[in-house]
Amino acid sequence: MWGIADVKRTNIAGLLCACVLNSAFAAAQDNAARSDVIKIPARELRGFGKLSGKFTRLENGASHLEIACESEERARIVHAKYINDLQLFQEPQAKTISVGTSQIPVAVVPQGAVTAFREKKIVHIVIGKTEAALTAALGSLRGVLRDAELAPSGTLPMYLGAFENSGFRFPGEERHSLPEFECLEEAFDLRVELL
């Protein structure tokens, strides 16, 4: 299971997914109120539009998160943002899993394997503790995979990925990374750097 401590860089979608999945796992593991399906109510998110979700705990340590978007255009953005943040998340190893006639791109990290794909207005994120668990989970989604977009076709607007992709910079300058700071107060006092 991925946790907040695993995030190497600050990114909104990664943190959002980690929070949603961590709370969903916690709720699903609570013996008093155990559930295999958790519905996530609709929320308006700036840049992404109105999103709702459904988390399903599958067999063999796998899970499936469906993110319903208000339009296909917004779903393309959510898909592109998730894949972009996944690449920044833990520098995953890229692999391909065969499910029927489909070749599914997969990111493998120490906690397991994950893939994301889009079917019209729904972005699917499938996670397995092992590659075998992910393959089995994807096998149960063959009907969805048949018409799915496996690689993001949407472009990520700069305002949704400007900080984690570009770092701190002025227009016309090369990319710069923010220095590591000893304490949080220094991070917000740019006068030291600018004077």
Side-chain angles (χ1 to χ4, degrees):
M1 180 170 69
W2 292 352
I4 301 289
D6 296 319
V7 178
K8 286 188 176 181
R9 293 183 175 192
T10 302
N11 56 64
I12 301 303
L15 289 175
L16 173 67
C17 288
C19 291
V20 167
L21 292 177
N22 279 339
S23 63
F25 277 121
Q29 291 174 350
D30 183 10
N31 290 334
R34 190 174 181 148
S35 174
D36 288 338
V37 177
I38 299 169
K39 292 186 179 181
I40 303 165
R43 298 279 181 175
E44 183 80 27
L45 294 177
R46 185 175 34 179
F48 298 103
K50 193 171 191 174
L51 304 176
S52 62
K54 183 173 90 171
F55 173 83
T56 306
R57 189 170 43 111
L58 305 171
E59 296 178 5
N60 301 324
S63 61
H64 177 207
L65 176 64
E66 297 176 50
I67 303 171
C69 305
E70 64 186 32
S71 68
E72 284 194 45
E73 178 185 339
R74 296 293 184 173
R76 284 186 185 98
I77 292 172
V78 171
H79 187 204
K81 178 66 172 164
Y82 184 80
I83 296 296
N84 179 70
D85 287 352
L86 183 62
Q87 300 305 315
L88 298 172
F89 196 57
Q90 286 191 336
E91 300 170 10
Q93 177 186 6
K95 287 193 171 184
T96 303
I97 292 179
S98 296
V99 177
T101 59
S102 301
Q103 297 294 315
I104 313 296
V106 172
V108 179
V109 294
Q111 295 86 354
V114 61
T115 189
F117 53 91
R118 183 184 66 81
E119 176 206 16
K120 298 181 183 174
K121 297 191 313 185
I122 300 175
V123 176
H124 298 266
I125 300 170
V126 186
I127 300 172
K129 288 184 180 178
T130 64
E131 289 179 57
L134 180 62
T135 303
L138 289 171
S140 68
L141 297 171
R142 281 188 185 164
V144 174
L145 285 169
R146 192 174 319 124
D147 299 325
E149 179 181 86
L150 303 177
S153 64
T155 56
L156 186 61
M158 185 173 176
Y159 68 90
L160 288 177
F163 182 76
E164 57 264 14
N165 291 330
S166 300
F168 182 69
R169 68 185 181 111
F170 290 101
E173 285 188 355
E174 293 181 27
R175 180 180 172 183
H176 298 285
S177 297
L178 286 174
E180 296 293 324
F181 291 99
E182 293 290 324
C183 65
L184 192 59
E185 292 85 352
E186 281 186 56
F188 294 102
D189 189 5
L190 295 178
R191 292 174 295 161
V192 174
E193 298 293 316
L194 298 176
L195 294 179

